[in-house]
Amino acid sequence: MPTQVNGNLESLGYRFIRQWPNSERGAAPQHVPENISRFFEQGTSSLLGGNFDAAAIMFRKTLEASTKEKIPDDAGKPLVKRIDLLVLSGELTKDIGQWAHEIRVGGNEAAHDEELYSADDAEALKNFTEAYLRYVYTLPTMVANRRAS
C-alpha cells in the first residue's frame, strides 16, 4: 500500500486513465492569458502534490503577473500598490482587492516564514486566485462576447 505520497499516486508511476468525480487538474479559468494560466496551473499542481509553500508562492506569482498585465505602466511598482491602483480605477471591487491582498500576503508568508504553509491556507489561496481570475478575465470576456452577438 503506497504511503508518504500526499495523495499523488502519479509520483509512484501510476497513470490515471479516468477518475470520478472528474477533475480538470487545476486548469485556470477561461480567457486567462497563457503565462498567467500556467502560473495558476503550477500552483494547483503543487497544491495537489502536497507542496503547499510552493503552491502559495505560485498563486502569488499568478497575481503578480496579472496585475502587471492589467496596468503595464505601473508594472515597476510594488504589488501592494498595483492592487490598490486596480481598486481605485474600478478594475477590481474593494472585496476582490481584499482577496488579492490575501493572496499577496499568503504568498509572502509562504516564501519568507520559517513555518510550513498549511494545506487549508494553500487551498484558500487557490480559491481566492481562481475567483480573482474569473472576475478579471473570464467575466469581462463573457460580457463582451454577449454584447457582440
Side-chain angles (χ1 to χ4, degrees):
M1 177 157 188
T3 60
Q4 304 296 322
V5 294
N6 291 321
N8 183 7
L9 294 176
E10 291 171 335
S11 69
L12 296 176
Y14 291 100
R15 191 175 128 251
F16 289 93
I17 297 170
R18 186 176 32 191
Q19 75 178 38
W20 187 88
N22 269 344
S23 169
E24 292 188 31
R25 307 278 305 153
Q30 289 183 316
H31 311 296
V32 175
E34 176 73 23
N35 64 322
I36 298 167
S37 179
R38 288 290 299 133
F39 297 147
F40 178 78
E41 290 165 7
Q42 288 177 51
T44 301
S45 176
S46 295
L47 179 64
L48 291 171
N51 300 307
F52 308 125
D53 295 276
I57 292 166
M58 290 310 299
F59 294 135
R60 186 193 185 284
K61 184 172 182 173
T62 302
L63 178 66
E64 180 86 33
S66 173
T67 60
K68 287 179 178 180
E69 186 268 335
K70 285 295 173 186
I71 48 175
D73 291 344
D74 293 309
K77 293 185 177 176
L79 179 56
V80 65
K81 297 280 189 203
R82 290 194 310 272
I83 293 168
D84 291 343
L85 287 170
L86 287 168
V87 171
L88 285 173
S89 73
E91 181 89 16
L92 298 179
T93 66
K94 185 178 174 185
D95 290 335
I96 298 292
Q98 184 57 46
W99 273 359
H101 282 299
E102 293 286 333
I103 298 163
R104 177 184 61 81
V105 170
N108 286 347
E109 289 173 354
H112 301 291
D113 284 358
E114 298 300 315
E115 297 297 317
L116 292 174
Y117 209 72
S118 76
D120 289 342
D121 288 343
E123 182 70 33
L125 285 190
K126 176 202 170 273
N127 293 336
F128 289 162
T129 306
E130 187 171 16
Y132 167 89
L133 294 173
R134 284 187 197 288
Y135 183 83
V136 170
Y137 296 105
T138 306
L139 293 175
T141 303
M142 290 172 69
V143 169
N145 290 345
R146 179 68 181 150
R147 285 184 179 153
S149 61

